[in-house]
Amino acid sequence: MKVVTQVKLMPEADQAAALSATLRTVNELACWVSDVAFARGLSREYELRKHTYARLKAEGLGAQAAQHVIKRVRDAYTTLHANIRAGNLGKPKSKRRVKAVSKPIVFRPEAAQPYDDRCLSWQYDQQTVSIWTTAGRIKNVRFACSADALKVLQYYRKGESDLIERGGVFYLVATCEVPEAEQYEPDGFIGMDLGIVNIATTSTGYMASGRGLNRYRKRQLALRAKLQKKRTKSAKRRLKERSRREARHVKNTNHVISKTIVTEAERTGRGLSLEELKGIRTRVRLRKPQRVALHSWAFAQLGDFIVYKAKRAGVPLVYVDPAYTSQMCSECGHIDKRNRVDQGLFICRGCGVVAHADRNASRNIAIRGETVWNAGRESRVPATP
């Protein structure tokens, strides 16, 4: 299982200047390679290398750095074409799609640059790295991270690491291949209902309210509107800072919720049953005031966090169809649109059960999860000759 680990670099003044100059140089050259690929219609890495490698070497890039720049450009166009085929950029004549295909891809001056083991070496005991720059290889660049992150790096780091710069601070983002824990046989399932008013509600009674997060987002939305009206450089800088701050706040909230749910499942020996909500933003039609809440709902990020934490802990996990889980009674199975009285209240028209709407839905998801798991378990048994 791949896990991304981030460390903060603490370079000296001359080392920071070399790292900054390196990122700006490689990204400027990546923009030039992108222009060549766009003008000549080159899609294969081999063809792109024939037209660009000599100049990249002449500009002072090492062999590996030049290869990484070319591969970045090729990967960027591959991603663009995949998004076009998938329809993620709209219809053929839509403004968004025309804008994307009518000009070369541009790389930001501080965009990430990949490093492999030939360009970057780690000294874990000293917590330093030796890294290639356009000014030569610099050694003893200190980095800081938690003890757990250092242990993961030391034992499981594999593949490339990306050098990035955010707000004048440098980071190395490393890919680690962490082994998955052996999955146990679950004693039942915990269903989890996702929502905006309540971020997550489990069938065991845990409820993560979204009230605080929704208030925070509403406050940030009002502050963004004020800053956008000013149209000054400092206002744009503040907007970027606030955007990153809000993303960090949401990410931390999702980490706390996912850890709580996975820990409870591991402690009780049960599995996790999640809703399959992929494509919900394209299916649901809402009024304009409600669209902000829907499109800022980070359910996919929360789901990803639960998946990787469950794999590391060996917790079984299944996805179920969420259709009618909010309208079906978890006691008698009666389905009626009128069962859902309002956002928080569920009253069954069949048996009269009164329950919290989200908790009732989470119980239905738990029941479906157990059904899916048993069906999969039975299908794995070889046929009798």
Side-chain angles (χ1 to χ4, degrees):
M1 178 181 62
K2 289 186 177 180
V3 175
V4 174
T5 303
Q6 178 178 283
V7 301
K8 180 180 178 180
L9 295 182
M10 298 183 293
E12 303 293 338
D14 56 337
Q15 295 173 339
L19 293 173
S20 181
T22 299
L23 282 180
R24 275 147 185 78
T25 299
V26 296
N27 285 304
E28 182 180 347
L29 291 172
C31 290
W32 171 76
V33 175
S34 177
D35 291 340
V36 173
F38 182 80
R40 294 177 176 269
L42 303 176
S43 58
R44 294 177 57 197
E45 185 178 343
Y46 175 74
E47 296 173 345
L48 193 57
R49 188 183 300 118
K50 285 196 302 184
H51 292 86
T52 58
Y53 182 77
R55 179 176 169 182
L56 293 178
K57 287 285 290 180
E59 292 288 343
L61 296 191
Q64 288 301 112
Q67 299 281 16
H68 284 308
V69 168
I70 296 169
K71 187 174 181 295
R72 280 176 61 200
V73 175
R74 193 281 312 270
D75 290 345
Y77 278 99
T78 301
T79 302
L80 174 63
H81 296 150
N83 283 326
I84 291 173
R85 288 194 301 271
N88 297 334
L89 298 178
K91 297 180 180 180
K93 293 185 179 180
S94 65
K95 289 183 178 179
R96 187 181 178 192
R97 182 162 173 175
V98 170
K99 183 179 179 181
V101 300
S102 61
K103 59 182 180 180
I105 294 175
V106 178
F107 295 86
R108 293 177 292 105
E110 67 277 7
Q113 169 67 8
Y115 282 79
D116 59 20
D117 289 340
R118 299 182 186 181
C119 306
L120 174 69
S121 60
W122 300 74
Q123 295 80 44
Y124 302 110
D125 294 336
Q126 294 81 23
Q127 284 195 218
T128 60
V129 295
S130 171
I131 188 169
W132 172 87
T133 67
T134 52
R137 196 174 187 97
I138 55 176
K139 300 181 179 180
N140 300 322
V141 181
R142 294 181 297 124
F143 69 85
C145 63
S146 66
D148 290 339
L150 182 62
K151 185 177 179 181
V152 171
L153 280 171
Q154 189 170 2
Y155 290 103
Y156 305 118
R157 187 191 65 81
K158 188 176 182 180
E160 295 178 352
S161 302
D162 289 342
L163 173 67
I164 60 175
E165 180 183 358
R166 287 199 298 261
V169 181
F170 296 94
Y171 299 90
L172 276 174
V173 182
T175 304
C176 302
E177 288 281 355
V178 179
E180 298 180 13
E182 186 177 353
Q183 199 175 81
Y184 56 79
E185 186 66 27
D187 183 18
F189 275 79
I190 297 176
M192 190 176 75
D193 179 65
L194 301 177
I196 296 174
V197 176
N198 295 309
I199 301 173
T201 305
T202 67
S203 55
T204 56
Y206 172 73
M207 183 180 293
S209 175
R211 186 178 182 184
L213 185 59
N214 290 332
R215 281 183 174 180
Y216 175 82
R217 280 180 169 150
K218 190 175 181 180
R219 187 166 64 250
Q220 294 299 315
L221 183 64
L223 290 171
R224 280 200 302 273
K226 288 182 181 179
L227 289 170
Q228 287 168 349
K229 287 181 181 179
K230 294 186 179 295
R231 297 177 176 271
T232 60
K233 287 186 178 180
S234 60
K236 291 178 182 179
R237 187 173 64 250
R238 294 283 185 181
L239 280 169
K240 289 182 181 179
E241 292 173 357
R242 289 201 169 274
S243 175
R244 291 194 292 263
R245 186 181 302 173
E246 182 176 351
R248 289 195 301 269
H249 180 75
V250 174
K251 187 176 182 179
N252 179 68
T253 302
N254 284 335
H255 267 303
V256 172
I257 295 172
S258 59
K259 185 175 181 179
T260 302
I261 293 171
V262 172
T263 302
E264 181 181 10
E266 184 182 14
R267 179 180 58 83
T268 58
R270 284 183 277 190
L272 288 173
S273 178
L274 274 65
E275 300 171 280
E276 179 58 74
L277 296 177
K278 189 175 182 180
I280 189 172
R281 290 192 175 98
T282 58
R283 295 196 306 269
V284 176
R285 300 293 180 184
L286 295 174
R287 294 179 179 179
K288 193 171 182 179
Q290 297 173 304
R291 293 174 194 167
V292 176
L294 177 66
H295 288 279
S296 60
W297 181 25
F299 66 89
Q301 185 186 71
L302 176 59
D304 291 341
F305 289 169
I306 290 175
V307 168
Y308 96 81
K309 285 179 170 62
K311 286 182 178 179
R312 293 191 69 175
V315 175
L317 186 142
V318 295
Y319 282 95
V320 301
D321 183 4
Y324 305 108
T325 52
S326 62
Q327 301 175 17
M328 184 173 71
C329 177
S330 59
E331 296 293 332
C332 67
H334 177 67
I335 299 176
D336 193 326
K337 193 174 183 179
R338 296 172 297 173
N339 286 350
R340 184 76 179 257
V341 179
D342 56 29
Q343 191 282 321
L345 182 61
F346 181 92
I347 302 177
C348 180
R349 297 266 175 169
C351 63
V353 165
V354 179
H356 190 282
D358 291 340
R359 192 155 295 159
N360 174 76
S362 66
R363 289 170 182 163
N364 288 327
I365 294 168
I367 294 170
R368 291 187 182 184
E370 192 161 357
T371 302
V372 169
W373 176 264
N374 289 333
R377 182 175 55 188
E378 291 166 6
S379 66
R380 288 195 296 267
V381 177
T384 304

